[in-house]
PDB file of all heavy atoms in Angstrom:
ATOM      1  N   TYR P1249      16.822 -99.438 -42.004  1.00 98.00           N
ATOM      2  CA  TYR P1249      15.833-100.533 -41.992  1.00 98.00           C
ATOM      3  C   TYR P1249      16.587-101.767 -41.513  1.00 98.00           C
ATOM      4  O   TYR P1249      17.253-102.444 -42.286  1.00 98.00           O
ATOM      5  CB  TYR P1249      15.299-100.722 -43.414  1.00 98.00           C
ATOM      6  CG  TYR P1249      14.152-101.703 -43.534  1.00 98.00           C
ATOM      7  CD1 TYR P1249      12.846-101.325 -43.210  1.00 98.00           C
ATOM      8  CD2 TYR P1249      14.364-103.002 -43.998  1.00 98.00           C
ATOM      9  CE1 TYR P1249      11.795-102.220 -43.334  1.00 98.00           C
ATOM     10  CE2 TYR P1249      13.317-103.902 -44.124  1.00 98.00           C
ATOM     11  CZ  TYR P1249      12.030-103.510 -43.796  1.00 98.00           C
ATOM     12  OH  TYR P1249      10.989-104.388 -43.922  1.00 98.00           O
ATOM     13  N   ASN P1250      16.533-102.002 -40.205  1.00 98.00           N
ATOM     14  CA  ASN P1250      17.426-103.007 -39.622  1.00 98.00           C
ATOM     15  C   ASN P1250      16.688-104.010 -38.754  1.00 98.00           C
ATOM     16  O   ASN P1250      15.624-103.715 -38.232  1.00 98.00           O
ATOM     17  CB  ASN P1250      18.473-102.307 -38.734  1.00 98.00           C
ATOM     18  CG  ASN P1250      19.290-101.283 -39.509  1.00 98.00           C
ATOM     19  OD1 ASN P1250      19.080-100.082 -39.377  1.00 98.00           O
ATOM     20  ND2 ASN P1250      20.191-101.751 -40.334  1.00 98.00           N
ATOM     21  N   ASN P1251      17.304-105.155 -38.602  1.00 98.00           N
ATOM     22  CA  ASN P1251      16.904-106.100 -37.569  1.00 98.00           C
ATOM     23  C   ASN P1251      18.022-106.138 -36.535  1.00 98.00           C
ATOM     24  O   ASN P1251      19.166-106.497 -36.866  1.00 98.00           O
ATOM     25  CB  ASN P1251      16.721-107.510 -38.147  1.00 98.00           C
ATOM     26  CG  ASN P1251      15.345-107.705 -38.759  1.00 98.00           C
ATOM     27  OD1 ASN P1251      14.376-107.087 -38.336  1.00 98.00           O
ATOM     28  ND2 ASN P1251      15.259-108.582 -39.751  1.00 98.00           N
ATOM     29  N   PHE P1252      17.706-105.754 -35.322  1.00 98.00           N
ATOM     30  CA  PHE P1252      18.692-105.787 -34.238  1.00 98.00           C
ATOM     31  C   PHE P1252      17.861-105.858 -32.964  1.00 98.00           C
ATOM     32  O   PHE P1252      17.572-104.851 -32.320  1.00 98.00           O
ATOM     33  CB  PHE P1252      19.573-104.527 -34.274  1.00 98.00           C
ATOM     34  CG  PHE P1252      20.928-104.672 -33.625  1.00 98.00           C
ATOM     35  CD1 PHE P1252      21.922-103.715 -33.847  1.00 98.00           C
ATOM     36  CD2 PHE P1252      21.251-105.744 -32.806  1.00 98.00           C
ATOM     37  CE1 PHE P1252      23.184-103.828 -33.278  1.00 98.00           C
ATOM     38  CE2 PHE P1252      22.506-105.863 -32.221  1.00 98.00           C
ATOM     39  CZ  PHE P1252      23.480-104.891 -32.461  1.00 98.00           C
ATOM     40  N   TYR P1253      17.436-107.087 -32.634  1.00 98.00           N
ATOM     41  CA  TYR P1253      16.454-107.289 -31.560  1.00 98.00           C
ATOM     42  C   TYR P1253      16.933-106.794 -30.196  1.00 98.00           C
ATOM     43  O   TYR P1253      16.118-106.523 -29.329  1.00 98.00           O
ATOM     44  CB  TYR P1253      16.069-108.776 -31.497  1.00 98.00           C
ATOM     45  CG  TYR P1253      14.964-109.097 -32.490  1.00 98.00           C
ATOM     46  CD1 TYR P1253      15.183-109.057 -33.859  1.00 98.00           C
ATOM     47  CD2 TYR P1253      13.686-109.421 -32.052  1.00 98.00           C
ATOM     48  CE1 TYR P1253      14.169-109.333 -34.759  1.00 98.00           C
ATOM     49  CE2 TYR P1253      12.668-109.703 -32.938  1.00 98.00           C
ATOM     50  CZ  TYR P1253      12.912-109.650 -34.290  1.00 98.00           C
ATOM     51  OH  TYR P1253      11.891-109.910 -35.174  1.00 98.00           O
ATOM     52  N   GLU P1254      18.238-106.653 -30.040  1.00 98.00           N
ATOM     53  CA  GLU P1254      18.752-106.114 -28.786  1.00 98.00           C
ATOM     54  C   GLU P1254      18.206-104.698 -28.547  1.00 98.00           C
ATOM     55  O   GLU P1254      18.110-104.224 -27.420  1.00 98.00           O
ATOM     56  CB  GLU P1254      20.282-106.036 -28.826  1.00 98.00           C
ATOM     57  CG  GLU P1254      20.997-107.368 -28.652  1.00 98.00           C
ATOM     58  CD  GLU P1254      21.072-108.214 -29.922  1.00 98.00           C
ATOM     59  OE1 GLU P1254      20.348-107.927 -30.898  1.00 98.00           O
ATOM     60  OE2 GLU P1254      21.839-109.182 -29.930  1.00 98.00           O
ATOM     61  N   PHE P1305      22.249-109.681 -50.108  1.00 98.00           N
ATOM     62  CA  PHE P1305      21.928-110.038 -48.722  1.00 98.00           C
ATOM     63  C   PHE P1305      20.446-110.331 -48.677  1.00 98.00           C
ATOM     64  O   PHE P1305      19.635-109.536 -49.127  1.00 98.00           O
ATOM     65  CB  PHE P1305      22.277-108.847 -47.807  1.00 98.00           C
ATOM     66  CG  PHE P1305      22.106-109.120 -46.335  1.00 98.00           C
ATOM     67  CD1 PHE P1305      23.169-109.582 -45.564  1.00 98.00           C
ATOM     68  CD2 PHE P1305      20.883-108.905 -45.703  1.00 98.00           C
ATOM     69  CE1 PHE P1305      23.014-109.819 -44.199  1.00 98.00           C
ATOM     70  CE2 PHE P1305      20.729-109.149 -44.344  1.00 98.00           C
ATOM     71  CZ  PHE P1305      21.801-109.598 -43.599  1.00 98.00           C
ATOM     72  N   CYS P1307      17.208-111.448 -46.334  1.00 98.00           N
ATOM     73  CA  CYS P1307      16.619-111.721 -45.025  1.00 98.00           C
ATOM     74  C   CYS P1307      15.574-112.823 -45.165  1.00 98.00           C
ATOM     75  O   CYS P1307      14.889-112.932 -46.191  1.00 98.00           O
ATOM     76  CB  CYS P1307      15.970-110.470 -44.452  1.00 98.00           C
ATOM     77  SG  CYS P1307      15.159-110.753 -42.860  1.00 98.00           S
ATOM     78  N   TRP P1311      12.908-109.718 -47.637  1.00 98.00           N
ATOM     79  CA  TRP P1311      13.446-108.474 -48.204  1.00 98.00           C
ATOM     80  C   TRP P1311      14.939-108.712 -48.470  1.00 98.00           C
ATOM     81  O   TRP P1311      15.559-109.604 -47.878  1.00 98.00           O
ATOM     82  CB  TRP P1311      13.206-107.243 -47.315  1.00 98.00           C
ATOM     83  CG  TRP P1311      13.664-107.336 -45.898  1.00 98.00           C
ATOM     84  CD1 TRP P1311      12.926-107.708 -44.811  1.00 98.00           C
ATOM     85  CD2 TRP P1311      14.985-107.050 -45.390  1.00 98.00           C
ATOM     86  NE1 TRP P1311      13.694-107.671 -43.667  1.00 98.00           N
ATOM     87  CE2 TRP P1311      14.958-107.265 -43.992  1.00 98.00           C
ATOM     88  CE3 TRP P1311      16.183-106.630 -45.958  1.00 98.00           C
ATOM     89  CZ2 TRP P1311      16.077-107.089 -43.169  1.00 98.00           C
ATOM     90  CZ3 TRP P1311      17.300-106.438 -45.143  1.00 98.00           C
ATOM     91  CH2 TRP P1311      17.232-106.668 -43.767  1.00 98.00           C
ATOM     92  N   MET P1313      18.835-106.844 -50.100  1.00 98.00           N
ATOM     93  CA  MET P1313      19.579-105.639 -50.483  1.00 98.00           C
ATOM     94  C   MET P1313      20.896-106.061 -51.107  1.00 98.00           C
ATOM     95  O   MET P1313      21.272-107.238 -51.077  1.00 98.00           O
ATOM     96  CB  MET P1313      19.795-104.735 -49.262  1.00 98.00           C
ATOM     97  CG  MET P1313      20.549-105.360 -48.116  1.00 98.00           C
ATOM     98  SD  MET P1313      20.672-104.223 -46.699  1.00 98.00           S
ATOM     99  CE  MET P1313      21.690-105.202 -45.590  1.00 98.00           C
ATOM    100  N   THR P1342      27.080-112.380 -29.371  1.00 98.00           N
ATOM    101  CA  THR P1342      26.971-110.906 -29.296  1.00 98.00           C
ATOM    102  C   THR P1342      27.157-110.455 -27.845  1.00 98.00           C
ATOM    103  O   THR P1342      27.072-111.275 -26.924  1.00 98.00           O
ATOM    104  CB  THR P1342      25.569-110.495 -29.820  1.00 98.00           C
ATOM    105  OG1 THR P1342      25.436-110.967 -31.153  1.00 98.00           O
ATOM    106  CG2 THR P1342      25.340-109.012 -29.824  1.00 98.00           C
ATOM    107  N   TYR P1361      22.485-113.106 -28.192  1.00 98.00           N
ATOM    108  CA  TYR P1361      22.309-113.651 -29.547  1.00 98.00           C
ATOM    109  C   TYR P1361      23.516-114.528 -29.870  1.00 98.00           C
ATOM    110  O   TYR P1361      24.663-114.121 -29.667  1.00 98.00           O
ATOM    111  CB  TYR P1361      22.238-112.480 -30.509  1.00 98.00           C
ATOM    112  CG  TYR P1361      21.608-112.758 -31.874  1.00 98.00           C
ATOM    113  CD1 TYR P1361      20.302-112.347 -32.135  1.00 98.00           C
ATOM    114  CD2 TYR P1361      22.326-113.366 -32.892  1.00 98.00           C
ATOM    115  CE1 TYR P1361      19.722-112.552 -33.389  1.00 98.00           C
ATOM    116  CE2 TYR P1361      21.749-113.568 -34.150  1.00 98.00           C
ATOM    117  CZ  TYR P1361      20.449-113.160 -34.390  1.00 98.00           C
ATOM    118  OH  TYR P1361      19.875-113.358 -35.616  1.00 98.00           O
ATOM    119  N   GLN P1389      23.917 -99.713 -35.749  1.00 98.00           N
ATOM    120  CA  GLN P1389      22.721-100.482 -36.108  1.00 98.00           C
ATOM    121  C   GLN P1389      23.018-101.612 -37.087  1.00 98.00           C
ATOM    122  O   GLN P1389      22.221-102.545 -37.217  1.00 98.00           O
ATOM    123  CB  GLN P1389      21.617 -99.557 -36.662  1.00 98.00           C
ATOM    124  CG  GLN P1389      21.951 -98.859 -37.972  1.00 98.00           C
ATOM    125  CD  GLN P1389      22.627 -97.513 -37.758  1.00 98.00           C
ATOM    126  OE1 GLN P1389      23.317 -97.303 -36.761  1.00 98.00           O
ATOM    127  NE2 GLN P1389      22.426 -96.607 -38.690  1.00 98.00           N
ATOM    128  N   ASN P1390      24.144-101.547 -37.767  1.00 98.00           N
ATOM    129  CA  ASN P1390      24.528-102.622 -38.687  1.00 98.00           C
ATOM    130  C   ASN P1390      25.490-103.622 -38.042  1.00 98.00           C
ATOM    131  O   ASN P1390      25.983-104.525 -38.724  1.00 98.00           O
ATOM    132  CB  ASN P1390      25.144-102.057 -39.969  1.00 98.00           C
ATOM    133  CG  ASN P1390      24.137-101.257 -40.783  1.00 98.00           C
ATOM    134  OD1 ASN P1390      24.199-100.042 -40.840  1.00 98.00           O
ATOM    135  ND2 ASN P1390      23.168-101.937 -41.388  1.00 98.00           N
ATOM    136  N   ARG P1395      30.835-107.852 -37.403  1.00 98.00           N
ATOM    137  CA  ARG P1395      29.709-108.766 -37.558  1.00 98.00           C
ATOM    138  C   ARG P1395      30.043-109.773 -38.647  1.00 98.00           C
ATOM    139  O   ARG P1395      30.901-109.539 -39.495  1.00 98.00           O
ATOM    140  CB  ARG P1395      28.467-107.999 -37.967  1.00 98.00           C
ATOM    141  CG  ARG P1395      28.583-107.511 -39.402  1.00 98.00           C
ATOM    142  CD  ARG P1395      27.331-106.955 -39.984  1.00 98.00           C
ATOM    143  NE  ARG P1395      26.253-107.887 -40.157  1.00 98.00           N
ATOM    144  CZ  ARG P1395      25.021-107.519 -40.472  1.00 98.00           C
ATOM    145  NH1 ARG P1395      24.741-106.241 -40.642  1.00 98.00           N
ATOM    146  NH2 ARG P1395      24.074-108.411 -40.643  1.00 98.00           N
ATOM    147  N   GLY P1403      19.606-113.835 -43.532  1.00 98.00           N
ATOM    148  CA  GLY P1403      20.309-112.784 -42.797  1.00 98.00           C
ATOM    149  C   GLY P1403      20.458-113.013 -41.308  1.00 98.00           C
ATOM    150  O   GLY P1403      21.377-112.473 -40.698  1.00 98.00           O
ATOM    151  N   PHE P1404      19.576-113.817 -40.693  1.00 98.00           N
ATOM    152  CA  PHE P1404      19.694-113.972 -39.234  1.00 98.00           C
ATOM    153  C   PHE P1404      20.968-114.691 -38.832  1.00 98.00           C
ATOM    154  O   PHE P1404      21.390-114.624 -37.683  1.00 98.00           O
ATOM    155  CB  PHE P1404      18.442-114.610 -38.618  1.00 98.00           C
ATOM    156  CG  PHE P1404      18.167-116.042 -39.006  1.00 98.00           C
ATOM    157  CD1 PHE P1404      18.766-117.097 -38.330  1.00 98.00           C
ATOM    158  CD2 PHE P1404      17.275-116.338 -40.041  1.00 98.00           C
ATOM    159  CE1 PHE P1404      18.479-118.412 -38.669  1.00 98.00           C
ATOM    160  CE2 PHE P1404      16.982-117.644 -40.389  1.00 98.00           C
ATOM    161  CZ  PHE P1404      17.601-118.701 -39.712  1.00 98.00           C
ATOM    162  N   SER P1406      23.824-113.810 -39.944  1.00 98.00           N
ATOM    163  CA  SER P1406      24.885-112.787 -39.976  1.00 98.00           C
ATOM    164  C   SER P1406      24.873-111.990 -38.680  1.00 98.00           C
ATOM    165  O   SER P1406      24.439-110.832 -38.625  1.00 98.00           O
ATOM    166  CB  SER P1406      24.706-111.892 -41.198  1.00 98.00           C
ATOM    167  OG  SER P1406      24.961-112.630 -42.384  1.00 98.00           O
ATOM    168  N   ILE P1407      25.359-112.595 -37.640  1.00 99.00           N
ATOM    169  CA  ILE P1407      25.288-112.043 -36.275  1.00 99.00           C
ATOM    170  C   ILE P1407      26.098-110.747 -36.134  1.00 99.00           C
ATOM    171  O   ILE P1407      27.204-110.640 -36.650  1.00 99.00           O
ATOM    172  CB  ILE P1407      25.750-113.126 -35.262  1.00 99.00           C
ATOM    173  CG1 ILE P1407      25.721-112.600 -33.820  1.00 99.00           C
ATOM    174  CG2 ILE P1407      27.130-113.663 -35.619  1.00 99.00           C
ATOM    175  CD1 ILE P1407      26.010-113.700 -32.784  1.00 99.00           C
ATOM    176  N   LYS P1408      25.500-109.800 -35.414  1.00 99.00           N
ATOM    177  CA  LYS P1408      26.091-108.466 -35.244  1.00 99.00           C
ATOM    178  C   LYS P1408      26.878-108.332 -33.941  1.00 99.00           C
ATOM    179  O   LYS P1408      26.631-109.072 -32.991  1.00 99.00           O
ATOM    180  CB  LYS P1408      24.969-107.419 -35.217  1.00 99.00           C
ATOM    181  CG  LYS P1408      24.203-107.322 -36.525  1.00 99.00           C
ATOM    182  CD  LYS P1408      23.059-106.343 -36.419  1.00 99.00           C
ATOM    183  CE  LYS P1408      22.454-106.112 -37.795  1.00 99.00           C
ATOM    184  NZ  LYS P1408      21.337-105.153 -37.739  1.00 99.00           N
TER     185      LYS P1408
HETATM  186  N1  MTE J2121      22.555-109.899 -34.815  1.00 68.56           N
HETATM  187  C1  MTE J2121      22.164-109.594 -33.566  1.00 68.56           C
HETATM  188  N2  MTE J2121      23.082-109.567 -32.591  1.00 68.56           N
HETATM  189  N3  MTE J2121      20.874-109.322 -33.263  1.00 68.56           N
HETATM  190  C2  MTE J2121      19.889-109.373 -34.227  1.00 68.56           C
HETATM  191  O1  MTE J2121      18.705-109.137 -33.919  1.00 68.56           O
HETATM  192  N4  MTE J2121      19.347-109.788 -36.569  1.00 68.56           N
HETATM  193  C3  MTE J2121      19.729-110.602 -37.725  1.00 68.56           C
HETATM  194  C4  MTE J2121      21.139-110.280 -38.205  1.00 68.56           C
HETATM  195  N5  MTE J2121      22.064-110.187 -37.085  1.00 68.56           N
HETATM  196  C5  MTE J2121      20.267-109.706 -35.563  1.00 68.56           C
HETATM  197  C6  MTE J2121      21.660-109.924 -35.825  1.00 68.56           C
HETATM  198  C7  MTE J2121      18.788-110.469 -38.837  1.00 68.56           C
HETATM  199  S1  MTE J2121      17.282-111.218 -38.631  1.00 68.56           S
HETATM  200  C8  MTE J2121      19.122-109.830 -39.993  1.00 68.56           C
HETATM  201  S2  MTE J2121      18.095-109.889 -41.356  1.00 68.56           S
HETATM  202  C9  MTE J2121      20.355-109.055 -40.108  1.00 68.56           C
HETATM  203  O2  MTE J2121      21.113-109.024 -38.899  1.00 68.56           O
HETATM  204  C10 MTE J2121      20.038-107.636 -40.500  1.00 68.56           C
HETATM  205  O3  MTE J2121      21.212-106.907 -40.747  1.00 68.56           O
HETATM  206  P1  MTE J2121      21.102-105.361 -41.128  1.00 68.56           P
HETATM  207  O4  MTE J2121      20.241-104.704 -40.103  1.00 68.56           O
HETATM  208  O5  MTE J2121      22.512-104.840 -41.126  1.00 68.56           O
HETATM  209  O6  MTE J2121      20.466-105.329 -42.497  1.00 68.56           O
END
Side-chain angles (χ1 to χ4, degrees):
Y1249 187 80
N1250 302 104
N1251 276 331
F1252 204 166
Y1253 275 68
E1254 284 81 346
F1305 185 92
C1307 178
W1311 54 266
M1313 59 183 184
T1342 301
Y1361 200 102
Q1389 64 270 29
N1390 294 107
R1395 71 170 295 170
F1404 66 85
S1406 292
I1407 179 173
K1408 295 176 171 180

